[in-house]
Amino acid sequence: MSYFWPYFKFSSLSVDFVFKDVFSDAATKRTILSLPIRCSSVGCVWTGELRNSENHQSNCDFYIVSCTNKNCDVTLQRRRLQDHVTNMCQWRIINCSYCGEPYPHCQMEYHVPQCNKCPVTCTKCDSSIPKEMVSTHIKEECPLTEIPCPYKHLGCEIMIERRRVDSHLQSDVKAHLHLACAKLDETESRWNDTQRDLVATKLNLTETTYKLQEATDLLQRKVYPWKIGGFRKKLRRAKTGKRDVVESDPFYTKAETESYGYQVKVCIHPNGISSGKNTHLSVSLMLLKGEYDAILPWPMNKKVKFILIDQQKHPDERVNVFEELLTNRCTEFARPETGEGSGFDTFISHRDLLNSKRFIVNDTLFLQVEINSP
């Protein structure tokens, strides 16, 4: 934008010629700044002194300026700038009427189709809903969406439009009632089965508890079972005098509540000894030297129970043979010095042992020994 001299017209050459040898002169400067000029902007009629030209130019309504909106390259007269920036510029910022987010005016047509808040038409019922709500609308609200009958859990397999559910419920009351009755019968049957299972479980738990208690009692009573196989051969050898005694492995009598125990072993004489010789099976308990003898109380004070197990298949039919011995009444248990034992010479007769088929099964008998405090 340029200003010109309305009353003095000269070329750049004449200006060079005139001012070639000019030097600073305050009076001349004032004279020059006082020269009259006219605004060169098209349509502006302002005239004034040269010294006021810059001030006028910064406020001239007809001066050509650039649009202040980002990315806009339009130039126009200052008097039209505000309307352009606010109303006409394609790069002016406006808010989306659906989501409220700011976008340039020229990009709004691309944003709207992608805006999640932009309303779209339901493909089923023609309702206008925000794009982001389409799936929820179809699943939970659309009257034309097919949904299962509310009595599906009872067995009704009908799929029906949401708007027709009420009429379906009214028209199919009888069918739904039949389904409800059938479901009730099924539930009652399952309940009865569950009760039976609970009773059975309770019985199993009771039996398991009993067995555990029995096992605990056995541990507390300190039970020593002894399996003796090949008994008939052992009896024949005893009758010929080749070997008249069968001995168990040594063991300690320590119970769960005791810190130490006595070392003992169980002996049987298949052909008997003393008063049971040739007629009975004799049993005895022999006291052995043990590693805790120095700190154990003497005489040994225990109640020993010898039990010959009846091997009948049915537990209710079993009749065990047993005898009890109090060790503190036997001199053999005063100290483990003699290497002798004490027991029962006539524990069971050969007749009862061999003919009853109760105590010897598969040529094996079981002798159980319980050792407890008296």
Side-chain angles (χ1 to χ4, degrees):
M1 197 65 60
S2 62
Y3 291 84
F4 60 91
W5 307 97
Y7 306 112
F8 302 95
K9 295 183 178 180
F10 43 84
S11 66
S12 60
L13 179 62
S14 61
V15 172
D16 291 340
F17 174 75
V18 172
F19 296 103
K20 182 176 181 181
D21 296 323
V22 173
F23 53 89
S24 177
D25 187 324
T28 302
K29 181 178 180 180
R30 288 195 296 273
T31 299
I32 294 174
L33 293 175
S34 299
L35 293 175
I37 61 172
R38 183 178 66 191
C39 179
S40 61
S41 297
V42 177
C44 183
V45 295
W46 179 85
T47 60
E49 294 181 350
L50 177 61
R51 63 169 51 86
N52 297 322
S53 62
E54 291 185 4
N55 183 53
H56 168 73
Q57 187 181 61
S58 62
N59 295 285
C60 179
D61 288 339
F62 295 90
Y63 187 74
I64 302 300
V65 294
S66 298
C67 176
T68 56
N69 287 330
K70 185 178 180 180
N71 296 323
C72 181
D73 56 2
V74 171
T75 59
L76 70 169
Q77 292 180 340
R78 181 178 281 119
R79 60 178 181 156
R80 303 186 186 281
L81 178 62
Q82 186 60 42
D83 180 58
H84 170 79
V85 169
T86 306
N87 303 311
M88 306 299 296
C89 181
Q90 294 299 307
W91 289 95
R92 68 185 184 277
I93 302 300
I94 59 176
N95 293 328
C96 174
S97 58
Y98 305 117
C99 67
E101 295 296 324
Y103 289 92
H105 180 273
C106 60
Q107 295 180 354
M108 188 59 69
E109 61 178 323
Y110 302 106
H111 163 70
V112 169
Q114 302 175 14
C115 180
N116 287 331
K117 303 290 185 180
C118 178
V120 294
T121 301
C122 174
T123 57
K124 293 179 178 289
C125 66
D126 295 332
S127 297
S128 181
I129 49 177
K131 181 187 297 184
E132 64 183 0
M133 297 298 294
V134 170
S135 60
T136 302
H137 167 77
I138 293 176
K139 183 178 180 180
E140 302 178 2
E141 301 173 357
C142 181
L144 299 183
T145 298
E146 287 192 346
I147 60 174
C149 170
Y151 287 94
K152 179 182 178 181
H153 66 288
L154 295 180
C156 184
E157 299 180 354
I158 292 178
M159 297 291 292
I160 189 171
E161 291 179 351
R162 184 177 279 110
R163 62 178 178 173
R164 301 186 186 280
V165 169
D166 290 340
S167 61
H168 166 68
L169 295 178
Q170 293 175 7
S171 62
D172 285 31
V173 171
K174 187 175 181 179
H176 292 155
L177 182 59
H178 285 312
L179 290 173
C181 290
K183 191 68 173 180
L184 181 60
D185 291 340
E186 180 185 352
T187 301
E188 184 177 6
S189 177
R190 289 183 178 178
W191 170 248
N192 292 333
D193 291 343
T194 300
Q195 284 187 313
R196 285 193 294 271
D197 291 343
L198 287 174
V199 171
T201 300
K202 185 176 180 180
L203 291 174
N204 289 335
L205 288 175
T206 301
E207 183 179 351
T208 301
T209 302
Y210 174 79
K211 290 180 179 180
L212 288 174
Q213 185 61 46
E214 190 178 47
T216 301
D217 292 342
L218 287 175
L219 287 174
Q220 292 176 346
R221 286 183 300 165
K222 202 59 179 175
V223 176
Y224 305 92
W226 184 18
K227 178 181 179 182
I228 305 170
F231 178 77
R232 294 181 185 277
K233 181 178 181 180
K234 290 179 172 61
L235 179 59
R236 288 194 300 269
R237 289 172 61 87
K239 285 182 177 293
T240 61
K242 293 183 178 180
R243 181 174 177 81
D244 63 348
V245 63
V246 180
E247 300 174 343
S248 74
D249 293 331
F251 59 90
Y252 280 90
T253 64
K254 176 180 174 298
E256 292 296 316
T257 57
E258 296 177 330
S259 300
Y260 312 101
Y262 300 91
Q263 184 171 218
V264 295
K265 65 180 177 180
V266 180
C267 301
I268 67 168
H269 295 267
N271 197 37
I273 59 174
S274 298
S275 60
K277 184 69 172 181
N278 297 320
T279 59
H280 288 73
L281 170 75
S282 303
V283 298
S284 61
L285 182 71
M286 181 176 290
L287 182 62
L288 305 174
K289 290 184 178 181
E291 57 182 317
Y292 306 111
D293 292 347
I295 56 177
L296 287 171
W298 298 97
M300 175 181 171
N301 187 15
K302 295 291 182 180
K303 181 171 69 175
V304 181
K305 186 175 183 179
F306 299 95
I307 304 172
L308 183 61
I309 303 299
D310 186 339
Q311 299 184 52
Q312 292 294 304
K313 291 183 178 180
H314 301 290
D316 295 338
E317 299 178 1
R318 294 176 183 174
V319 181
N320 296 334
V321 173
F322 65 91
E323 293 286 354
E324 291 184 342
L325 171 71
L326 294 177
T327 61
N328 63 344
R329 297 180 181 179
C330 305
T331 58
E332 292 85 357
F333 297 98
R335 294 288 288 191
E337 305 294 343
T338 61
E340 297 180 358
S342 182
F344 301 93
D345 297 341
T346 57
F347 182 65
I348 185 172
S349 68
H350 289 163
R351 181 183 58 189
D352 293 338
L353 181 64
L354 300 173
N355 298 333
S356 64
K357 298 182 179 179
R358 287 175 172 268
F359 306 106
I360 301 175
V361 177
N362 296 326
D363 202 23
T364 300
L365 60 78
F366 289 89
L367 181 66
Q368 181 173 294
V369 180
E370 296 180 7
I371 303 177
N372 301 287
S373 298

